[in-house]
C-alpha cells in the first residue's frame, strides 16, 4: 500500500436488499400481428451501509411488434421491430475522482447515460425446416455505457446478424 493512496477492492456483502417490479403484456391484434410491451424497475441496497450495490439497473420499458405472414403452404415471412428505453442506471466507480472526501458515497457512484435501442429483423422460412434471417440492432445509433471493473462504451453504430437455421 502506498501512503496517501486509497485501495478499492471488492468485498462480500452480507445483507442486501434487491426489490423490483416487472410488468408485461401481449396483445394479438390479428393472426398476423402481435404487440408486446413491458416495464421493469429495480432497486438495490447494501443494508449494512445503506449504499447501492455495485450495479443499480434502474428502469427500462420496451415495446415490440411481431408479424408473420404465410405466403403459401411452404413459405412464411416474419419480422419484428422493437424499442427498449433504459434509464436511471448507475454503478460503483472503482476509481473515485481525486479530492473526493473519504467515505463520501457520492464519490463512489457513476451515473450511466440513458439510452434507447431500436432493433428490427426479417426472416423467410421454408417448410419450418429452413430459415434465412437478417436482424439489425441499435438503429438509433446510441452509445451504451457499462461500468464493471472498467468503464466501457459500446459504440453507437448499427450492427447486424445475418444467417440461416436448418432443422433436420
Amino acid at each position: 500500500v502506498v501512503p496517501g493512496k486509497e485501495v478499492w477492492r471488492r468485498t462480500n456483502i452480507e445483507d442486501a436488499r434487491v426489490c423490483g417490479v416487472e410488468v408485461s403484456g401481449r396483445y394479438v391484434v390479428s393472426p398476423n400481428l402481435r404487440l408486446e410491451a413491458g416495464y421493469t424497475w429495480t432497486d438495490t441496497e447494501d443494508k449494512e451501509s445503506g449504499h447501492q450495490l455495485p450495479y443499480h439497473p434502474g428502469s427500462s420499458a420496451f415495446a415490440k411488434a411481431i408479424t408473420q405472414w404465410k405466403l403459401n403452404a411452404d413459405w412464411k415471412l416474419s419480422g419484428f421491430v422493437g424499442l427498449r428505453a433504459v434509464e436511471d442506471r448507475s454503478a460503483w466507480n472503482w476509481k473515485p475522482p481525486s479530492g473526493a472526501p473519504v467515505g463520501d458515497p457520492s464519490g463512489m457512484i457513476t451515473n450511466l447515460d440513458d439510452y434507447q435501442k431500436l432493433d428490427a429483423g426479417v426472416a423467410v422460412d421454408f417448410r419450418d425446416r429452413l430459415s434465412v434471417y437478417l436482424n439489425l440492432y441499435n438503429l438509433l445509433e446510441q452509445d451504451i455505457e457499462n461500468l464493471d471493473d472498467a468503464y466501457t462504451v459500446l459504440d453507437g453504430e448499427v450492427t447486424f446478424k445475418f444467417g440461416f437455421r436448418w432443422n433436420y
Side-chain angles (χ1 to χ4, degrees):
V1 175
V2 178
K5 295 288 182 180
E6 292 186 34
V7 176
W8 293 78
R9 63 178 169 243
R10 293 185 185 270
T11 60
N12 288 334
I13 295 173
E14 301 295 329
D15 192 11
R17 179 187 57 82
V18 178
C19 61
V21 174
E22 184 169 293
V23 178
S24 65
R26 180 179 303 163
Y27 180 67
V28 178
V29 177
S30 72
N32 299 337
L33 179 61
R34 184 176 78 225
L35 302 176
E36 298 177 356
Y39 175 79
T40 301
W41 171 84
T42 308
D43 189 34
T44 64
E45 178 186 32
D46 176 348
K47 290 181 75 174
E48 186 176 311
S49 70
H51 301 147
Q52 78 173 45
L53 295 181
Y55 178 67
H56 173 75
S59 63
S60 68
F62 79 92
K64 188 173 189 179
I66 303 158
T67 186
Q68 189 171 42
W69 297 87
K70 195 165 185 102
L71 302 176
N72 61 36
D74 292 332
W75 293 91
K76 180 173 56 175
L77 177 67
S78 59
F80 76 92
V81 62
L83 177 67
R84 176 172 298 277
V86 179
E87 59 184 27
D88 192 34
R89 298 176 310 133
S90 60
W92 284 1
N93 186 345
W94 298 101
K95 292 177 82 175
S98 62
V102 175
D104 177 11
S106 65
M108 299 187 326
I109 303 298
T110 296
N111 292 318
L112 302 172
D113 286 343
D114 300 342
Y115 67 90
Q116 297 78 39
K117 188 168 174 282
L118 179 64
D119 302 328
V122 64
V124 177
D125 298 333
F126 178 72
R127 294 188 183 168
D128 293 330
R129 305 270 330 252
L130 176 65
S131 178
V132 177
Y133 63 89
L134 171 64
N135 293 340
L136 301 168
Y137 303 100
N138 200 7
L139 292 168
L140 299 176
E141 298 184 337
Q142 293 190 0
D143 291 345
I144 300 174
E145 294 181 320
N146 293 304
L147 177 57
D148 192 3
D149 288 333
Y151 174 76
T152 59
V153 177
L154 300 174
D155 287 336
E157 59 187 32
V158 176
T159 59
F160 70 94
K161 185 189 322 184
F162 174 78
F164 70 93
R165 291 182 201 91
W166 177 36
N167 296 325
Y168 55 92

